[in-house]
Amino acid sequence: GNSVTQMEGPVTLSEEAFLTINCTYTATGYPSLFWYVQYPGEGLQLLLKATKADDKGSNKGFEATYRKETTSFHLEKGSVQVSDSAVYFCALRIGGSQGNLIFGKGTKLSVKP
Amino acid sequence: ETGVTQSPTHLIKTRGQQVTLRCSSQSGHNTVSWYQQALGQGPQFIFQYYREEENGRGNFPPRFSGLQFPNYSSELNVNALELDDSALYLCASSPPDRGLIYGYTFGSGTRLTVV
C-alpha cells in the first residue's frame, strides 16, 4: 500500500542551524509529494510540493527534492529561525479522481534562540 | 479571499451521542475533504466530496457520514460516538483541479473530545 515514513522527533535546534527532516515513501504509481506545516493551535499549511521526479519544491527558505531512485523527499533549510518551530508533515497523493493525501506522523521542530 | 472556516472550534460529547461538524470551503473551491488527526499522529483521510457526491472514502466505518451543499460547504456527521473518536477534525478544500496543481487549503479544525 501507499505510505509515508518520517524521522521521529522532536528535533531541537539552535537558531541559524541547518535543518534536515527525512521523509521516505512507498507508493504504487507516480505520487505528488508535499510538505505541510502545522503551527500550534492551527490547521495545516502547504509549505512546498513536487509533482514529478527530480522536481525541487521551495518556499520560505525550505527546499525538498523528489528523489524517485531513493523514494525520498527530505526537507532542508539552511538557517532555521525561532518562528520555524512547528510540526512538519510529509505527504503524498496518488493522481487520479480521488486525490486524497496520505500523511506521515509528523516531526516536531523546536528552535531555541 | 476567505480561507476554509470550520465550526465549532471545540466540542465535548458523551460516548454514544451524535455530532455534526461544519466546514465552509474557500471561495472557488468545489472539492471538500475531511481528515481525522489523533493526538501525535498525522491526519487520516475520512472522505471527499465533489459536486455534492462522495468521491472517495478512507478506512472509516459507516457511522462517519457527510454532506456537501450546493454552495460547496460541507458537514461531517459521526453517530454513536466512541472514545477513540476524540481527535482534531480537519476540513480541506481544493479548486476544480482537485488539488493537482494548487494543493489543498486546510481549516484550523474542530477539536472533538468524547467522554
Side-chain angles (χ1 to χ4, degrees), chain B residues 48-110:
Chain B
Q48 182 180 85
Y49 278 82
Y50 173 65
R51 293 183 176 178
E52 303 177 53
E53 297 284 334
E54 187 178 292
N55 185 43
R57 188 178 184 93
N59 189 27
F60 280 81
R63 61 189 183 84
F64 285 78
S65 63
L67 283 172
Q68 186 181 31
F69 300 100
N71 66 355
Y72 304 131
S73 65
S74 177
E75 287 182 355
L76 164 65
N77 299 290
V78 187
N79 294 321
L81 283 166
E82 301 177 359
L83 297 179
D84 284 349
D85 295 334
S86 296
L88 179 67
Y89 288 84
L90 295 165
C91 174
S93 72
S94 62
D97 74 332
R98 301 187 216 176
L100 284 168
I101 300 173
Y102 299 106
Y104 296 85
T105 302
F106 280 82
S108 297
T110 293

CSV table of all heavy atoms in Angstrom, one decimal, chain B residues 48-110:
chain,number,residue,atom,x,y,z
B,48,GLN,N,-14.1,12.4,0.8
B,48,GLN,CA,-14.0,13.6,-0.1
B,48,GLN,C,-15.3,13.7,-0.8
B,48,GLN,O,-16.0,12.7,-1.2
B,48,GLN,CB,-12.9,13.4,-1.1
B,48,GLN,CG,-12.7,14.6,-2.0
B,48,GLN,CD,-11.6,14.4,-3.0
B,48,GLN,OE1,-11.7,13.9,-4.0
B,48,GLN,NE2,-10.4,14.9,-2.6
B,49,TYR,N,-15.7,15.0,-1.0
B,49,TYR,CA,-17.0,15.3,-1.7
B,49,TYR,C,-16.6,16.2,-2.9
B,49,TYR,O,-15.8,17.2,-2.7
B,49,TYR,CB,-18.0,16.0,-0.8
B,49,TYR,CG,-18.8,15.0,0.0
B,49,TYR,CD1,-18.3,14.5,1.2
B,49,TYR,CD2,-20.0,14.5,-0.4
B,49,TYR,CE1,-19.0,13.5,1.9
B,49,TYR,CE2,-20.7,13.6,0.3
B,49,TYR,CZ,-20.2,13.1,1.4
B,49,TYR,OH,-20.9,12.1,2.1
B,50,TYR,N,-17.2,15.9,-4.0
B,50,TYR,CA,-17.0,16.6,-5.2
B,50,TYR,C,-18.4,16.8,-5.9
B,50,TYR,O,-19.1,15.8,-6.1
B,50,TYR,CB,-16.0,15.9,-6.1
B,50,TYR,CG,-15.9,16.6,-7.5
B,50,TYR,CD1,-15.4,17.9,-7.7
B,50,TYR,CD2,-16.3,15.9,-8.7
B,50,TYR,CE1,-15.3,18.4,-8.9
B,50,TYR,CE2,-16.1,16.4,-9.9
B,50,TYR,CZ,-15.6,17.7,-10.0
B,50,TYR,OH,-15.5,18.3,-11.3
B,51,ARG,N,-18.8,18.0,-6.1
B,51,ARG,CA,-20.1,18.3,-6.7
B,51,ARG,C,-21.2,17.5,-5.9
B,51,ARG,O,-22.1,16.9,-6.6
B,51,ARG,CB,-20.1,17.9,-8.2
B,51,ARG,CG,-19.2,18.8,-9.0
B,51,ARG,CD,-19.3,18.5,-10.5
B,51,ARG,NE,-18.5,19.4,-11.3
B,51,ARG,CZ,-18.4,19.4,-12.6
B,51,ARG,NH1,-19.0,18.4,-13.3
B,51,ARG,NH2,-17.7,20.2,-13.2
B,52,GLU,N,-21.2,17.6,-4.6
B,52,GLU,CA,-22.2,17.1,-3.7
B,52,GLU,C,-22.3,15.6,-3.7
B,52,GLU,O,-23.2,15.0,-3.0
B,52,GLU,CB,-23.6,17.6,-4.1
B,52,GLU,CG,-23.6,19.2,-4.1
B,52,GLU,CD,-25.0,19.7,-4.5
B,52,GLU,OE1,-26.0,19.3,-4.0
B,52,GLU,OE2,-25.0,20.6,-5.4
B,53,GLU,N,-21.3,14.9,-4.3
B,53,GLU,CA,-21.3,13.4,-4.2
B,53,GLU,C,-20.0,13.0,-3.5
B,53,GLU,O,-18.9,13.6,-3.7
B,53,GLU,CB,-21.3,12.8,-5.6
B,53,GLU,CG,-22.5,13.1,-6.5
B,53,GLU,CD,-23.7,12.3,-6.0
B,53,GLU,OE1,-23.5,11.2,-5.5
B,53,GLU,OE2,-24.9,12.7,-6.2
B,54,GLU,N,-20.1,11.9,-2.7
B,54,GLU,CA,-18.9,11.3,-2.1
B,54,GLU,C,-18.0,10.8,-3.2
B,54,GLU,O,-18.5,10.0,-4.1
B,54,GLU,CB,-19.3,10.2,-1.1
B,54,GLU,CG,-18.1,9.7,-0.3
B,54,GLU,CD,-18.5,8.7,0.7
B,54,GLU,OE1,-19.1,9.0,1.7
B,54,GLU,OE2,-18.0,7.5,0.5
B,55,ASN,N,-16.8,11.1,-3.2
B,55,ASN,CA,-15.9,10.8,-4.3
B,55,ASN,C,-14.6,10.1,-3.8
B,55,ASN,O,-13.5,10.4,-4.2
B,55,ASN,CB,-15.5,12.2,-5.0
B,55,ASN,CG,-14.6,12.0,-6.2
B,55,ASN,OD1,-14.9,11.1,-7.0
B,55,ASN,ND2,-13.6,12.7,-6.3
B,56,GLY,N,-14.8,9.3,-2.8
B,56,GLY,CA,-13.6,8.6,-2.2
B,56,GLY,C,-13.8,8.5,-0.7
B,56,GLY,O,-14.3,9.5,-0.1
B,57,ARG,N,-13.3,7.4,-0.1
B,57,ARG,CA,-13.5,7.2,1.3
B,57,ARG,C,-12.3,6.4,1.8
B,57,ARG,O,-11.8,5.5,1.2
B,57,ARG,CB,-14.8,6.4,1.5
B,57,ARG,CG,-15.2,6.3,3.0
B,57,ARG,CD,-16.5,5.6,3.2
B,57,ARG,NE,-16.9,5.6,4.6
B,57,ARG,CZ,-17.7,6.4,5.1
B,57,ARG,NH1,-18.2,7.4,4.4
B,57,ARG,NH2,-18.0,6.4,6.4
B,58,GLY,N,-11.9,6.8,3.0
B,58,GLY,CA,-10.8,6.1,3.7
B,58,GLY,C,-11.4,5.0,4.5
B,58,GLY,O,-12.5,4.6,4.4
B,59,ASN,N,-10.5,4.5,5.4
B,59,ASN,CA,-10.9,3.3,6.2
B,59,ASN,C,-11.7,3.7,7.4
B,59,ASN,O,-11.2,3.5,8.6
B,59,ASN,CB,-9.6,2.5,6.5
B,59,ASN,CG,-10.0,1.2,7.2
B,59,ASN,OD1,-11.0,0.6,6.9
B,59,ASN,ND2,-9.0,0.7,8.0
B,60,PHE,N,-12.8,4.2,7.3
B,60,PHE,CA,-13.7,4.7,8.4
B,60,PHE,C,-15.0,4.0,8.3
B,60,PHE,O,-15.5,3.8,7.2
B,60,PHE,CB,-13.8,6.2,8.4
B,60,PHE,CG,-12.6,6.9,9.0
B,60,PHE,CD1,-11.5,7.1,8.2
B,60,PHE,CD2,-12.6,7.3,10.3
B,60,PHE,CE1,-10.4,7.8,8.7
B,60,PHE,CE2,-11.5,8.0,10.8
B,60,PHE,CZ,-10.4,8.2,10.1
B,61,PRO,N,-15.6,3.7,9.4
B,61,PRO,CA,-16.9,2.9,9.4
B,61,PRO,C,-18.0,3.8,8.9
B,61,PRO,O,-17.9,5.1,8.9
B,61,PRO,CB,-17.1,2.5,10.9
B,61,PRO,CG,-16.3,3.5,11.6
B,61,PRO,CD,-15.1,3.9,10.8
B,62,PRO,N,-19.2,3.2,8.6
B,62,PRO,CA,-20.3,4.0,8.0
B,62,PRO,C,-20.9,5.0,9.0
B,62,PRO,O,-21.6,5.9,8.5
B,62,PRO,CB,-21.3,2.9,7.7
B,62,PRO,CG,-20.5,1.7,7.5
B,62,PRO,CD,-19.4,1.8,8.5
B,63,ARG,N,-20.6,4.9,10.3
B,63,ARG,CA,-21.2,5.9,11.2
B,63,ARG,C,-20.5,7.3,11.0
B,63,ARG,O,-21.0,8.2,11.5
B,63,ARG,CB,-21.0,5.4,12.6
B,63,ARG,CG,-19.6,5.2,13.1
B,63,ARG,CD,-19.6,4.5,14.5
B,63,ARG,NE,-18.2,4.3,14.9
B,63,ARG,CZ,-17.6,5.3,15.6
B,63,ARG,NH1,-18.2,6.5,15.8
B,63,ARG,NH2,-16.3,5.1,15.9
B,64,PHE,N,-19.5,7.3,10.2
B,64,PHE,CA,-18.9,8.6,9.7
B,64,PHE,C,-19.6,8.9,8.3
B,64,PHE,O,-19.4,8.1,7.4
B,64,PHE,CB,-17.4,8.5,9.5
B,64,PHE,CG,-16.6,8.5,10.8
B,64,PHE,CD1,-16.5,7.4,11.6
B,64,PHE,CD2,-16.0,9.7,11.2
B,64,PHE,CE1,-15.8,7.4,12.8
B,64,PHE,CE2,-15.3,9.7,12.4
B,64,PHE,CZ,-15.2,8.6,13.2
B,65,SER,N,-20.4,9.9,8.3
B,65,SER,CA,-21.0,10.3,7.0
B,65,SER,C,-20.9,11.8,6.8
B,65,SER,O,-20.5,12.5,7.7
B,65,SER,CB,-22.5,9.9,7.1
B,65,SER,OG,-23.2,10.6,8.1
B,66,GLY,N,-21.2,12.2,5.6
B,66,GLY,CA,-21.0,13.6,5.2
B,66,GLY,C,-22.0,14.1,4.2
B,66,GLY,O,-22.8,13.3,3.7
B,67,LEU,N,-22.0,15.4,4.0
B,67,LEU,CA,-22.8,16.0,3.0
B,67,LEU,C,-22.0,17.2,2.4
B,67,LEU,O,-21.2,17.8,3.1
B,67,LEU,CB,-24.1,16.6,3.7
B,67,LEU,CG,-25.2,15.7,4.1
B,67,LEU,CD1,-26.3,16.5,4.8
B,67,LEU,CD2,-25.9,15.1,2.8
B,68,GLN,N,-22.3,17.5,1.2
B,68,GLN,CA,-21.8,18.7,0.6
B,68,GLN,C,-23.0,19.4,0.0
B,68,GLN,O,-23.9,18.8,-0.6
B,68,GLN,CB,-20.8,18.5,-0.5
B,68,GLN,CG,-20.1,19.8,-1.0
B,68,GLN,CD,-19.1,19.5,-2.1
B,68,GLN,OE1,-19.2,18.6,-2.9
B,68,GLN,NE2,-18.1,20.4,-2.2
B,69,PHE,N,-23.1,20.7,0.2
B,69,PHE,CA,-24.2,21.5,-0.2
B,69,PHE,C,-23.9,22.3,-1.5
B,69,PHE,O,-22.7,22.4,-1.9
B,69,PHE,CB,-24.6,22.5,0.9
B,69,PHE,CG,-24.9,21.8,2.2
B,69,PHE,CD1,-24.0,21.7,3.2
B,69,PHE,CD2,-26.2,21.3,2.4
B,69,PHE,CE1,-24.3,21.0,4.4
B,69,PHE,CE2,-26.5,20.6,3.5
B,69,PHE,CZ,-25.6,20.5,4.5
B,70,PRO,N,-24.9,22.8,-2.2
B,70,PRO,CA,-24.7,23.5,-3.5
B,70,PRO,C,-23.7,24.6,-3.4
B,70,PRO,O,-23.1,24.9,-4.4
B,70,PRO,CB,-26.1,24.0,-3.8
B,70,PRO,CG,-27.0,23.0,-3.2
B,70,PRO,CD,-26.4,22.7,-1.9
B,71,ASN,N,-23.5,25.2,-2.2
B,71,ASN,CA,-22.5,26.3,-2.1
B,71,ASN,C,-21.1,25.7,-1.8
B,71,ASN,O,-20.2,26.5,-1.4
B,71,ASN,CB,-23.0,27.3,-1.1
B,71,ASN,CG,-23.0,26.8,0.3
B,71,ASN,OD1,-22.8,25.6,0.5
B,71,ASN,ND2,-23.3,27.6,1.3
B,72,TYR,N,-21.0,24.4,-1.8
B,72,TYR,CA,-19.8,23.7,-1.6
B,72,TYR,C,-19.4,23.6,-0.1
B,72,TYR,O,-18.3,23.0,0.2
B,72,TYR,CB,-18.6,24.2,-2.4
B,72,TYR,CG,-18.9,24.2,-3.9
B,72,TYR,CD1,-18.7,25.4,-4.7
B,72,TYR,CD2,-19.5,23.1,-4.5
B,72,TYR,CE1,-19.0,25.4,-6.0
B,72,TYR,CE2,-19.8,23.1,-5.9
B,72,TYR,CZ,-19.5,24.3,-6.6
B,72,TYR,OH,-19.8,24.3,-8.0
B,73,SER,N,-20.2,24.1,0.8
B,73,SER,CA,-19.9,23.9,2.2
B,73,SER,C,-20.2,22.4,2.5
B,73,SER,O,-20.8,21.7,1.7
B,73,SER,CB,-20.7,24.8,3.1
B,73,SER,OG,-22.1,24.5,2.9
B,74,SER,N,-19.8,22.0,3.7
B,74,SER,CA,-19.9,20.6,4.0
B,74,SER,C,-20.1,20.3,5.4
B,74,SER,O,-19.8,21.2,6.3
B,74,SER,CB,-18.5,19.9,3.5
B,74,SER,OG,-18.5,18.5,3.8
B,75,GLU,N,-20.7,19.1,5.7
B,75,GLU,CA,-20.8,18.7,7.1
B,75,GLU,C,-20.2,17.3,7.2
B,75,GLU,O,-20.3,16.5,6.3
B,75,GLU,CB,-22.3,18.6,7.4
B,75,GLU,CG,-23.0,19.9,7.7
B,75,GLU,CD,-24.5,19.7,8.1
B,75,GLU,OE1,-24.9,18.5,8.1
B,75,GLU,OE2,-25.1,20.7,8.4
B,76,LEU,N,-19.7,17.0,8.4
B,76,LEU,CA,-19.2,15.7,8.8
B,76,LEU,C,-20.1,15.3,10.0
B,76,LEU,O,-20.2,16.0,11.0
B,76,LEU,CB,-17.8,15.7,9.2
B,76,LEU,CG,-17.2,14.5,10.0
B,76,LEU,CD1,-17.3,13.2,9.1
B,76,LEU,CD2,-15.8,14.8,10.5
B,77,ASN,N,-20.8,14.1,9.9
B,77,ASN,CA,-21.6,13.6,10.9
B,77,ASN,C,-21.0,12.3,11.5
B,77,ASN,O,-20.6,11.5,10.7
B,77,ASN,CB,-23.0,13.3,10.4
B,77,ASN,CG,-23.7,14.5,9.9
B,77,ASN,OD1,-24.1,15.4,10.7
B,77,ASN,ND2,-23.8,14.6,8.6
B,78,VAL,N,-20.9,12.2,12.8
B,78,VAL,CA,-20.5,11.0,13.4
B,78,VAL,C,-21.5,10.5,14.4
B,78,VAL,O,-21.9,11.2,15.3
B,78,VAL,CB,-19.1,11.2,14.1
B,78,VAL,CG1,-18.6,9.8,14.6
B,78,VAL,CG2,-18.1,11.9,13.2
B,79,ASN,N,-22.0,9.3,14.2
B,79,ASN,CA,-23.0,8.7,15.0
B,79,ASN,C,-22.4,7.8,16.1
B,79,ASN,O,-21.2,7.3,15.8
B,79,ASN,CB,-24.0,7.9,14.2
B,79,ASN,CG,-24.9,8.7,13.3
B,79,ASN,OD1,-25.3,9.8,13.7
B,79,ASN,ND2,-25.1,8.3,12.1
B,80,ALA,N,-23.1,7.5,17.1
B,80,ALA,CA,-22.6,6.5,18.1
B,80,ALA,C,-21.2,6.8,18.5
B,80,ALA,O,-20.3,5.9,18.3
B,80,ALA,CB,-22.8,5.1,17.6
B,81,LEU,N,-20.9,7.9,19.0
B,81,LEU,CA,-19.5,8.3,19.3
B,81,LEU,C,-18.8,7.4,20.2
B,81,LEU,O,-19.4,6.9,21.2
B,81,LEU,CB,-19.5,9.7,19.9
B,81,LEU,CG,-19.7,10.9,18.9
B,81,LEU,CD1,-20.0,12.2,19.6
B,81,LEU,CD2,-18.5,11.0,18.0
B,82,GLU,N,-17.5,7.1,19.9
B,82,GLU,CA,-16.7,6.3,20.8
B,82,GLU,C,-15.5,7.1,21.3
B,82,GLU,O,-15.2,8.2,20.7
B,82,GLU,CB,-16.1,5.1,19.9
B,82,GLU,CG,-17.2,4.2,19.4
B,82,GLU,CD,-16.7,3.1,18.5
B,82,GLU,OE1,-15.4,3.0,18.3
B,82,GLU,OE2,-17.5,2.3,18.0
B,83,LEU,N,-14.9,6.7,22.4
B,83,LEU,CA,-13.8,7.4,23.0
B,83,LEU,C,-12.7,7.7,22.0
B,83,LEU,O,-12.1,8.7,22.0
B,83,LEU,CB,-13.3,6.7,24.2
B,83,LEU,CG,-14.3,6.5,25.4
B,83,LEU,CD1,-13.6,5.7,26.5
B,83,LEU,CD2,-14.8,7.8,25.9
B,84,ASP,N,-12.5,6.7,21.1
B,84,ASP,CA,-11.4,6.8,20.1
B,84,ASP,C,-11.7,7.8,19.0
B,84,ASP,O,-10.8,8.1,18.2
B,84,ASP,CB,-11.1,5.5,19.5
B,84,ASP,CG,-10.3,4.5,20.4
B,84,ASP,OD1,-9.8,5.0,21.4
B,84,ASP,OD2,-10.2,3.3,20.1
B,85,ASP,N,-12.9,8.4,19.0
B,85,ASP,CA,-13.2,9.4,18.0
B,85,ASP,C,-12.7,10.8,18.5
B,85,ASP,O,-12.7,11.7,17.7
B,85,ASP,CB,-14.7,9.5,17.8
B,85,ASP,CG,-15.3,8.2,17.2
B,85,ASP,OD1,-14.6,7.5,16.5
B,85,ASP,OD2,-16.5,8.0,17.5
B,86,SER,N,-12.2,10.8,19.7
B,86,SER,CA,-11.6,12.1,20.1
B,86,SER,C,-10.4,12.4,19.3
B,86,SER,O,-9.4,11.6,19.2
B,86,SER,CB,-11.1,11.9,21.6
B,86,SER,OG,-12.2,11.7,22.4
B,87,ALA,N,-10.4,13.6,18.6
B,87,ALA,CA,-9.4,14.0,17.7
B,87,ALA,C,-9.6,15.4,17.2
B,87,ALA,O,-10.6,16.0,17.5
B,87,ALA,CB,-9.4,13.0,16.5
B,88,LEU,N,-8.7,15.9,16.4
B,88,LEU,CA,-8.9,17.1,15.7
B,88,LEU,C,-9.4,16.7,14.3
B,88,LEU,O,-8.8,15.9,13.6
B,88,LEU,CB,-7.5,17.9,15.5
B,88,LEU,CG,-7.5,19.2,14.8
B,88,LEU,CD1,-8.3,20.2,15.5
B,88,LEU,CD2,-6.1,19.7,14.5
B,89,TYR,N,-10.5,17.3,13.9
B,89,TYR,CA,-11.1,17.0,12.6
B,89,TYR,C,-10.8,18.2,11.7
B,89,TYR,O,-11.2,19.3,11.9
B,89,TYR,CB,-12.6,16.7,12.7
B,89,TYR,CG,-12.8,15.4,13.3
B,89,TYR,CD1,-12.8,15.3,14.7
B,89,TYR,CD2,-13.0,14.3,12.6
B,89,TYR,CE1,-13.0,14.0,15.3
B,89,TYR,CE2,-13.1,13.0,13.2
B,89,TYR,CZ,-13.1,12.9,14.5
B,89,TYR,OH,-13.3,11.7,15.1
B,90,LEU,N,-10.1,17.9,10.6
B,90,LEU,CA,-9.7,18.9,9.6
B,90,LEU,C,-10.5,18.8,8.3
B,90,LEU,O,-10.7,17.8,7.8
B,90,LEU,CB,-8.2,18.8,9.3
B,90,LEU,CG,-7.3,19.0,10.5
B,90,LEU,CD1,-5.9,18.5,10.1
B,90,LEU,CD2,-7.2,20.5,10.8
B,91,CYS,N,-10.9,20.0,7.8
B,91,CYS,CA,-11.6,20.1,6.6
B,91,CYS,C,-10.6,20.7,5.6
B,91,CYS,O,-9.8,21.6,6.0
B,91,CYS,CB,-12.8,21.0,6.7
B,91,CYS,SG,-13.6,21.3,5.2
B,92,ALA,N,-10.5,20.2,4.4
B,92,ALA,CA,-9.6,20.8,3.3
B,92,ALA,C,-10.4,21.0,2.1
B,92,ALA,O,-11.2,20.1,1.7
B,92,ALA,CB,-8.5,19.9,3.1
B,93,SER,N,-10.2,22.1,1.4
B,93,SER,CA,-10.9,22.3,0.1
B,93,SER,C,-9.9,22.5,-1.0
B,93,SER,O,-8.7,22.9,-0.7
B,93,SER,CB,-11.8,23.5,0.2
B,93,SER,OG,-11.1,24.7,0.3
B,94,SER,N,-10.3,22.3,-2.2
B,94,SER,CA,-9.4,22.5,-3.3
B,94,SER,C,-10.2,23.0,-4.5
B,94,SER,O,-11.4,22.7,-4.6
B,94,SER,CB,-8.7,21.2,-3.7
B,94,SER,OG,-9.6,20.2,-4.0
B,95,PRO,N,-9.6,23.6,-5.5
B,95,PRO,CA,-10.2,24.2,-6.6
B,95,PRO,C,-10.6,23.1,-7.6
B,95,PRO,O,-10.3,21.9,-7.4
B,95,PRO,CB,-9.2,25.1,-7.2
B,95,PRO,CG,-7.9,24.6,-6.7
B,95,PRO,CD,-8.2,24.0,-5.4
B,96,PRO,N,-11.2,23.4,-8.7
B,96,PRO,CA,-11.7,22.4,-9.7
B,96,PRO,C,-10.7,21.4,-10.2
B,96,PRO,O,-11.0,20.4,-10.6
B,96,PRO,CB,-12.3,23.2,-10.8
B,96,PRO,CG,-12.8,24.5,-10.1
B,96,PRO,CD,-11.7,24.7,-9.1
B,97,ASP,N,-9.4,21.7,-10.1
B,97,ASP,CA,-8.4,20.8,-10.5
B,97,ASP,C,-8.2,19.7,-9.4
B,97,ASP,O,-7.3,18.9,-9.6
B,97,ASP,CB,-7.1,21.5,-10.8
B,97,ASP,CG,-6.3,21.9,-9.6
B,97,ASP,OD1,-7.0,22.2,-8.5
B,97,ASP,OD2,-5.1,22.0,-9.6
B,98,ARG,N,-9.0,19.8,-8.3
B,98,ARG,CA,-8.9,18.8,-7.2
B,98,ARG,C,-7.5,18.7,-6.6
B,98,ARG,O,-7.0,17.7,-6.3
B,98,ARG,CB,-9.4,17.5,-7.7
B,98,ARG,CG,-10.8,17.5,-8.2
B,98,ARG,CD,-11.3,16.1,-8.4
B,98,ARG,NE,-12.2,16.0,-9.6
B,98,ARG,CZ,-12.7,14.9,-10.1
B,98,ARG,NH1,-12.4,13.8,-9.5
B,98,ARG,NH2,-13.5,14.9,-11.1
B,99,GLY,N,-6.9,19.9,-6.5
B,99,GLY,CA,-5.6,19.9,-5.8
B,99,GLY,C,-4.4,19.4,-6.6
B,99,GLY,O,-3.3,19.4,-6.0
B,100,LEU,N,-4.6,19.1,-7.9
B,100,LEU,CA,-3.5,18.6,-8.6
B,100,LEU,C,-2.4,19.7,-8.8
B,100,LEU,O,-1.2,19.3,-8.7
B,100,LEU,CB,-4.0,18.2,-10.0
B,100,LEU,CG,-4.7,16.9,-10.1
B,100,LEU,CD1,-5.4,16.8,-11.5
B,100,LEU,CD2,-3.8,15.7,-9.9
B,101,ILE,N,-2.8,20.9,-8.9
B,101,ILE,CA,-1.8,22.0,-9.1
B,101,ILE,C,-1.6,22.8,-7.8
B,101,ILE,O,-0.5,23.0,-7.4
B,101,ILE,CB,-2.2,22.9,-10.2
B,101,ILE,CG1,-2.4,22.1,-11.5
B,101,ILE,CG2,-1.3,24.1,-10.4
B,101,ILE,CD1,-3.0,22.9,-12.7
B,102,TYR,N,-2.7,23.1,-7.2
B,102,TYR,CA,-2.6,24.1,-6.1
B,102,TYR,C,-2.6,23.4,-4.7
B,102,TYR,O,-2.4,24.1,-3.7
B,102,TYR,CB,-3.7,25.1,-6.2
B,102,TYR,CG,-3.7,25.9,-7.5
B,102,TYR,CD1,-4.6,25.6,-8.5
B,102,TYR,CD2,-2.7,26.9,-7.7
B,102,TYR,CE1,-4.6,26.4,-9.7
B,102,TYR,CE2,-2.7,27.6,-8.9
B,102,TYR,CZ,-3.6,27.3,-9.8
B,102,TYR,OH,-3.6,28.0,-11.0
B,103,GLY,N,-2.8,22.2,-4.6
B,103,GLY,CA,-2.8,21.6,-3.3
B,103,GLY,C,-4.1,21.8,-2.6
B,103,GLY,O,-5.1,22.3,-3.2
B,104,TYR,N,-4.2,21.6,-1.4
B,104,TYR,CA,-5.4,21.7,-0.6
B,104,TYR,C,-5.2,22.9,0.4
B,104,TYR,O,-4.1,23.1,0.9
B,104,TYR,CB,-5.7,20.4,0.2
B,104,TYR,CG,-6.0,19.3,-0.7
B,104,TYR,CD1,-5.0,18.5,-1.3
B,104,TYR,CD2,-7.3,18.9,-1.0
B,104,TYR,CE1,-5.2,17.4,-2.1
B,104,TYR,CE2,-7.6,17.8,-1.9
B,104,TYR,CZ,-6.5,17.1,-2.4
B,104,TYR,OH,-6.8,16.0,-3.2
B,105,THR,N,-6.3,23.5,0.7
B,105,THR,CA,-6.3,24.6,1.8
B,105,THR,C,-7.0,24.0,3.0
B,105,THR,O,-8.2,23.6,2.9
B,105,THR,CB,-7.0,25.8,1.3
B,105,THR,OG1,-6.4,26.3,0.1
B,105,THR,CG2,-7.0,26.9,2.4
B,106,PHE,N,-6.4,23.9,4.1
B,106,PHE,CA,-6.9,23.4,5.3
B,106,PHE,C,-7.5,24.4,6.2
B,106,PHE,O,-7.0,25.5,6.3
B,106,PHE,CB,-5.9,22.6,6.1
B,106,PHE,CG,-5.6,21.2,5.5
B,106,PHE,CD1,-4.7,21.1,4.5
B,106,PHE,CD2,-6.2,20.1,6.1
B,106,PHE,CE1,-4.4,19.8,3.9
B,106,PHE,CE2,-5.9,18.8,5.6
B,106,PHE,CZ,-5.0,18.7,4.5
B,107,GLY,N,-8.6,24.1,6.9
B,107,GLY,CA,-9.1,24.9,8.0
B,107,GLY,C,-8.3,24.6,9.3
B,107,GLY,O,-7.4,23.7,9.3
B,108,SER,N,-8.7,25.3,10.4
B,108,SER,CA,-8.0,25.2,11.6
B,108,SER,C,-8.4,24.0,12.4
B,108,SER,O,-7.8,23.7,13.5
B,108,SER,CB,-8.1,26.5,12.4
B,108,SER,OG,-7.5,27.5,11.8
B,109,GLY,N,-9.6,23.4,12.0
B,109,GLY,CA,-10.0,22.2,12.7
B,109,GLY,C,-11.0,22.4,13.8
B,109,GLY,O,-11.2,23.5,14.3
B,110,THR,N,-11.7,21.3,14.1
B,110,THR,CA,-12.6,21.2,15.2
B,110,THR,C,-12.0,20.1,16.2
B,110,THR,O,-11.8,19.0,15.8
B,110,THR,CB,-14.0,20.8,14.8
B,110,THR,OG1,-14.6,21.8,14.1
B,110,THR,CG2,-14.8,20.5,16.1
